[in-house]
Structures are given as structure tokens and as C-alpha cells.
Amino acid sequence: VVIDFEKKPAVRKLFDENLDLAHLLPLLEIEGGRKIIPGQTLLFFDEIQLCPRALMALRYFYEEKPELHVVAAGSLLEFEMEKISFPVGRVEFEWMYPLSFSEFLQNSRQEKLLASRPRLDTDKKMPEYLHEKFLEQARLYSVVGGMPEAVDRYLQNRSFQDVTDVHRFLHESLMQDILKYERKVALEPLREILEKIPRLVGHQIKYTGLSPHTTIYETQKTLRILEKALLIHKICSSSAAGLPLALDAHPKIFKYLFLDIGLMQHICGIPATEVMQAKNLLAVYEGMICEQFVGQELLVVGGSQHGKLYYWVRSEKNSNAEVDYLFTRDGQIFPLEVKSGPSGKLKSLHLFLKEHPPIKKGYVFNSGVIGDENQIAFRPFYTEVS
């Protein structure tokens, strides 16, 4: 039984007064056109952010009808949850991200190729034919991205122009959606920062460079709003002295990952032909596309740790040593660089391993080499991180 608060605004009135389920369920049955049977029926609330009292009602479904399956979906829910008495502890949250590279391959009917995707523990050389197939799909994913509508339109028509149209619409509508829920935010700084962040993936953020004509306070406020809307993801620096990574994080040293690699490519104005014809994707846009690619893949599997992303910067003055990502698995910390070239050029990674003797292994995601060299494992950037 689907209750869509956007398609049928009038249905919101059902929740205006009595939230008692003895009163509410019969009305929902009339609206849904079928009987709601606990244990058999899935009650689905769509665009629930448009009806805050429906969010409040979730606690009563949990308390009075625990055997009834209820799913609610909505965007920018974080803005609404701040305004109401939300049923903490009675609702389980799942965050929806853009389609991952694996999901993109599945939807493209590339399951056979997906089965050959290398993993972190892969140490066998990839056959050249398979490597070229993965590069082809990775380039395609970098242009189309993982936003469901963009993927769907591309798979229907194989048209990059259709993808561009979707990205243009999403770019504008995302800002308008934020303004609906945060009316106090200024449009121009929001637009300016939202367009600059995709161009700064992989770079340490300086407030003055984001919106020169806006106060640092307003810039910080706008960034927090974009984070809350999940359009950008903060990557905090950590000294990696131990676990958890947040324990030694530096709040003033950070960079950002953007929402989606396809939207990033669109906003940055990188021509689709440039990406699709690139022999080495790591060389396109100073490697930022591949850093976004890897960051999105990390985020989908839980981030560096506890759903958050971290990286390493050497804290000494006059030092520019940096490792792109840190991630933890099985109680261990691993540094991860997204870079092409031999191990001799990986000065930051070598320095990190030297300064962190307990950490025995680092990873380099490159343009295709698979192999291990001393403490460093080389893997293609499209390797599955799990």
C-alpha cells in the first residue's frame, strides 16, 4: 500500500489531527484501495518529508502495530527531523547513495564482467582484455554517474545529451529543494559553493577560496547545510595514531567529496568525449575524477570508518605530505593513494608507512597495475573495496 505525499497532497490531512492507529489505518486503507494486514502488508510512505506528522506517527506504528511492516522514504529528511519530536530508537535508518560502480554494471547487464572485478586481496595480473573492458565501463560511469534517473535515461537511449539534461535538472533542483527547507540560506553563496566543491575534490578546503565575498561564518553555515543535505561529504584529516580515526582528527584540516561522479563531471564542465577517449582516467582533471570514484566506492561500503571518510596530512610545518584516504578493516588502518606511476614517486605513502611502523601495508589505486612491492600493494582504481 503506497501513500505518496507529493502526488496526493490532500492525503497529508489524514495526519492533521488524530494519530491513533484505530482511527488512521481505516483511512489509509481507503486511500490505498486495499486492506492493510499486519504481517502481510507493506505500508510504504513516499516523500514523507512533506508530511512531518506522518514522521511523528511512525512511533505509534512501532508501539501499537509492531508486526506491521512500514517503510518511509524521503529526501532532505534531516531538515524536517530537527523541527519535530522524532521517534528516536523506534526507526531504523538506511541512507541511499548514488548507484555504486557494481550497481551500475548490474543495471548495464554486465554481471559477467562484474564477477571478474578485482578485490583488495587480488594479486593476480588482470588479463588485458578484461582490464580494457573495466576501463571502458569506468569511463562510462564517470560520465553518467550513479544518479538513478541519469542511469535509466542513458540505458534507454545511450545518449549523453539525455544524461546532460538530467544532470542540469538535478543541479538546479537540488538547490531549490534546499531553499524550500532552509529559507534563511542565501541563494548566491549556496550556488557558488555548490559549484566550487566539485572542482576542489581532493584539495584541502580554505573558506576564503569558496566564496570570497561571503563571511567565513556564512560559508561555514552553507557548508553545514550542504553536508546535512548529503550533497557533499566531509573528509577529515587524521594523524592515524590509532583507532578510532576520529580520535586524532583535525577539525580545521579537511577536504570534501561530492555527491556523485556524474554530476561532478557535469558541473566541472568536463566534456564527455574527453573522459570517454582518455587512455588514462587518472590524468583527466588532475586525477580528481578517480579520487571521486574511489571516495564514492569507499562511502558505499561504510567509509573509512563508521560511515565517515578520513585522510592523512603530515602535521609538521612546511610539509605537504598527504595520503588520499585512510580506511580500516578488521581493526587495522590502511593508507590508500589514488595515483599513477611507480612506487618511487609515492613519497607521501612511503613517509606515512615510515612514521607508522605498526601499519604494515599501503595501497595504491592506479591505472591498471596489479602487484605487491614491499609494503605497497598496487591495484586498478576500479578495484572493489569491501
Side-chain angles (χ1 to χ4, degrees), residues 142-168:
S142 299
V143 173
V144 177
M147 301 303 283
E149 180 69 13
V151 175
D152 189 46
R153 289 280 292 276
Y154 177 77
L155 294 178
Q156 284 181 27
N157 305 316
R158 303 287 168 173
S159 166
F160 288 138
Q161 184 57 54
D162 283 357
V163 172
T164 298
D165 292 342
V166 172
H167 286 158
R168 185 184 300 112

Short mmCIF file of all heavy atoms in Angstrom, two decimals, residues 142-168:
data_model
loop_
_atom_site.label_atom_id
_atom_site.label_comp_id
_atom_site.label_asym_id
_atom_site.label_seq_id
_atom_site.Cartn_x
_atom_site.Cartn_y
_atom_site.Cartn_z
N SER A 142 31.91 7.34 -15.07
CA SER A 142 32.38 8.68 -14.70
C SER A 142 31.56 9.77 -15.37
O SER A 142 31.43 10.87 -14.84
CB SER A 142 33.86 8.84 -15.07
OG SER A 142 34.65 7.89 -14.38
N VAL A 143 31.02 9.48 -16.56
CA VAL A 143 30.20 10.46 -17.27
C VAL A 143 28.74 10.38 -16.83
O VAL A 143 28.12 11.41 -16.52
CB VAL A 143 30.29 10.23 -18.80
CG1 VAL A 143 29.31 11.14 -19.54
CG2 VAL A 143 31.71 10.47 -19.28
N VAL A 144 28.19 9.18 -16.78
CA VAL A 144 26.77 9.00 -16.44
C VAL A 144 26.56 9.18 -14.94
O VAL A 144 25.57 9.78 -14.50
CB VAL A 144 26.27 7.62 -16.90
CG1 VAL A 144 24.82 7.41 -16.49
CG2 VAL A 144 26.43 7.48 -18.41
N GLY A 145 27.48 8.65 -14.15
CA GLY A 145 27.33 8.72 -12.71
C GLY A 145 26.36 7.70 -12.18
O GLY A 145 25.97 6.76 -12.87
N GLY A 146 25.95 7.90 -10.93
CA GLY A 146 25.10 6.92 -10.27
C GLY A 146 23.72 7.43 -9.89
O GLY A 146 22.97 6.73 -9.20
N MET A 147 23.35 8.66 -10.32
CA MET A 147 22.00 9.12 -10.02
C MET A 147 21.02 8.29 -10.84
O MET A 147 21.16 8.17 -12.07
CB MET A 147 21.86 10.60 -10.36
CG MET A 147 22.83 11.49 -9.59
SD MET A 147 22.71 11.32 -7.78
CE MET A 147 21.22 12.25 -7.46
N PRO A 148 20.03 7.66 -10.20
CA PRO A 148 19.18 6.68 -10.89
C PRO A 148 18.55 7.17 -12.18
O PRO A 148 18.52 6.44 -13.17
CB PRO A 148 18.12 6.35 -9.83
CG PRO A 148 18.81 6.58 -8.54
CD PRO A 148 19.72 7.75 -8.77
N GLU A 149 18.06 8.42 -12.20
CA GLU A 149 17.42 8.92 -13.42
C GLU A 149 18.41 9.04 -14.57
O GLU A 149 18.09 8.73 -15.71
CB GLU A 149 16.78 10.29 -13.14
CG GLU A 149 16.08 10.91 -14.34
CD GLU A 149 14.81 10.17 -14.74
OE1 GLU A 149 14.32 9.32 -13.96
OE2 GLU A 149 14.31 10.44 -15.86
N ALA A 150 19.64 9.47 -14.26
CA ALA A 150 20.66 9.60 -15.30
C ALA A 150 21.02 8.22 -15.86
O ALA A 150 21.16 8.05 -17.07
CB ALA A 150 21.90 10.29 -14.74
N VAL A 151 21.17 7.24 -14.97
CA VAL A 151 21.49 5.87 -15.41
C VAL A 151 20.36 5.32 -16.26
O VAL A 151 20.58 4.74 -17.34
CB VAL A 151 21.77 4.95 -14.20
CG1 VAL A 151 21.99 3.51 -14.67
CG2 VAL A 151 22.98 5.44 -13.42
N ASP A 152 19.14 5.51 -15.80
CA ASP A 152 17.97 4.98 -16.52
C ASP A 152 17.86 5.59 -17.91
O ASP A 152 17.64 4.88 -18.90
CB ASP A 152 16.70 5.27 -15.70
CG ASP A 152 15.48 4.56 -16.28
OD1 ASP A 152 15.59 3.36 -16.59
OD2 ASP A 152 14.45 5.20 -16.41
N ARG A 153 18.03 6.90 -17.99
CA ARG A 153 17.91 7.58 -19.29
C ARG A 153 19.01 7.12 -20.25
O ARG A 153 18.77 6.93 -21.44
CB ARG A 153 17.96 9.09 -19.10
CG ARG A 153 16.72 9.68 -18.45
CD ARG A 153 15.57 9.87 -19.44
NE ARG A 153 15.88 10.91 -20.39
CZ ARG A 153 15.69 12.21 -20.16
NH1 ARG A 153 15.19 12.62 -19.00
NH2 ARG A 153 15.98 13.10 -21.09
N TYR A 154 20.23 6.96 -19.72
CA TYR A 154 21.31 6.53 -20.60
C TYR A 154 21.06 5.11 -21.11
O TYR A 154 21.24 4.84 -22.31
CB TYR A 154 22.66 6.58 -19.88
CG TYR A 154 23.76 6.06 -20.78
CD1 TYR A 154 24.28 6.85 -21.80
CD2 TYR A 154 24.24 4.76 -20.65
CE1 TYR A 154 25.25 6.36 -22.67
CE2 TYR A 154 25.21 4.26 -21.51
CZ TYR A 154 25.71 5.07 -22.51
OH TYR A 154 26.65 4.56 -23.38
N LEU A 155 20.63 4.21 -20.24
CA LEU A 155 20.42 2.83 -20.66
C LEU A 155 19.25 2.70 -21.63
O LEU A 155 19.21 1.77 -22.43
CB LEU A 155 20.20 1.94 -19.43
CG LEU A 155 21.41 1.80 -18.49
CD1 LEU A 155 21.06 0.92 -17.29
CD2 LEU A 155 22.61 1.23 -19.24
N GLN A 156 18.32 3.63 -21.57
CA GLN A 156 17.21 3.62 -22.52
C GLN A 156 17.65 4.07 -23.91
O GLN A 156 17.28 3.45 -24.92
CB GLN A 156 16.08 4.55 -22.03
CG GLN A 156 15.25 3.98 -20.90
CD GLN A 156 14.16 4.95 -20.49
OE1 GLN A 156 13.69 5.77 -21.29
NE2 GLN A 156 13.73 4.88 -19.23
N ASN A 157 18.43 5.15 -23.98
CA ASN A 157 18.70 5.79 -25.26
C ASN A 157 20.17 5.84 -25.66
O ASN A 157 20.49 6.24 -26.78
CB ASN A 157 18.15 7.23 -25.25
CG ASN A 157 16.67 7.28 -24.90
OD1 ASN A 157 15.90 6.48 -25.39
ND2 ASN A 157 16.29 8.21 -24.03
N ARG A 158 21.08 5.50 -24.71
CA ARG A 158 22.52 5.57 -24.98
C ARG A 158 22.91 6.97 -25.46
O ARG A 158 23.75 7.12 -26.36
CB ARG A 158 22.94 4.52 -26.01
CG ARG A 158 22.59 3.10 -25.61
CD ARG A 158 23.47 2.59 -24.51
NE ARG A 158 22.98 1.33 -23.95
CZ ARG A 158 23.65 0.60 -23.05
NH1 ARG A 158 24.83 1.01 -22.63
NH2 ARG A 158 23.14 -0.50 -22.56
N SER A 159 22.31 7.97 -24.85
CA SER A 159 22.54 9.36 -25.28
C SER A 159 23.17 10.16 -24.14
O SER A 159 22.58 10.29 -23.06
CB SER A 159 21.21 10.01 -25.69
OG SER A 159 21.36 11.42 -25.80
N PHE A 160 24.36 10.70 -24.39
CA PHE A 160 25.00 11.56 -23.40
C PHE A 160 24.25 12.88 -23.26
O PHE A 160 24.29 13.50 -22.19
CB PHE A 160 26.46 11.82 -23.76
CG PHE A 160 27.35 10.62 -23.56
CD1 PHE A 160 28.32 10.29 -24.50
CD2 PHE A 160 27.22 9.81 -22.45
CE1 PHE A 160 29.15 9.19 -24.32
CE2 PHE A 160 28.04 8.71 -22.26
CZ PHE A 160 29.00 8.39 -23.20
N GLN A 161 23.57 13.31 -24.32
CA GLN A 161 22.79 14.54 -24.22
C GLN A 161 21.64 14.36 -23.23
O GLN A 161 21.33 15.26 -22.46
CB GLN A 161 22.24 14.94 -25.59
CG GLN A 161 21.49 16.27 -25.59
CD GLN A 161 22.33 17.41 -25.08
OE1 GLN A 161 23.43 17.64 -25.57
NE2 GLN A 161 21.84 18.13 -24.06
N ASP A 162 21.01 13.18 -23.24
CA ASP A 162 19.96 12.90 -22.27
C ASP A 162 20.52 12.94 -20.85
O ASP A 162 19.87 13.45 -19.92
CB ASP A 162 19.33 11.52 -22.54
CG ASP A 162 18.38 11.55 -23.72
OD1 ASP A 162 18.16 12.63 -24.29
OD2 ASP A 162 17.85 10.47 -24.07
N VAL A 163 21.71 12.41 -20.67
CA VAL A 163 22.36 12.42 -19.36
C VAL A 163 22.64 13.86 -18.93
O VAL A 163 22.39 14.24 -17.78
CB VAL A 163 23.67 11.60 -19.39
CG1 VAL A 163 24.45 11.78 -18.09
CG2 VAL A 163 23.37 10.13 -19.62
N THR A 164 23.13 14.67 -19.85
CA THR A 164 23.40 16.08 -19.56
C THR A 164 22.12 16.80 -19.13
O THR A 164 22.12 17.60 -18.19
CB THR A 164 24.00 16.78 -20.78
OG1 THR A 164 25.25 16.16 -21.11
CG2 THR A 164 24.24 18.26 -20.52
N ASP A 165 21.02 16.52 -19.80
CA ASP A 165 19.73 17.14 -19.45
C ASP A 165 19.32 16.77 -18.03
O ASP A 165 18.84 17.62 -17.28
CB ASP A 165 18.65 16.70 -20.44
CG ASP A 165 18.87 17.27 -21.85
OD1 ASP A 165 19.64 18.25 -21.97
OD2 ASP A 165 18.28 16.72 -22.79
N VAL A 166 19.50 15.49 -17.67
CA VAL A 166 19.16 15.04 -16.31
C VAL A 166 20.05 15.74 -15.29
O VAL A 166 19.58 16.24 -14.26
CB VAL A 166 19.29 13.51 -16.18
CG1 VAL A 166 19.12 13.08 -14.73
CG2 VAL A 166 18.26 12.81 -17.05
N HIS A 167 21.35 15.79 -15.57
CA HIS A 167 22.28 16.43 -14.63
C HIS A 167 21.98 17.92 -14.47
O HIS A 167 22.05 18.46 -13.36
CB HIS A 167 23.73 16.24 -15.11
CG HIS A 167 24.24 14.86 -14.91
ND1 HIS A 167 25.29 14.34 -15.63
CD2 HIS A 167 23.85 13.87 -14.06
CE1 HIS A 167 25.54 13.11 -15.23
NE2 HIS A 167 24.66 12.79 -14.29
N ARG A 168 21.63 18.58 -15.56
CA ARG A 168 21.29 20.01 -15.48
C ARG A 168 20.06 20.22 -14.60
O ARG A 168 20.03 21.13 -13.76
CB ARG A 168 21.04 20.57 -16.89
CG ARG A 168 20.81 22.08 -16.90
CD ARG A 168 20.47 22.60 -18.28
NE ARG A 168 21.52 22.34 -19.25
CZ ARG A 168 21.42 21.50 -20.27
NH1 ARG A 168 20.28 20.83 -20.47
NH2 ARG A 168 22.42 21.32 -21.10
#
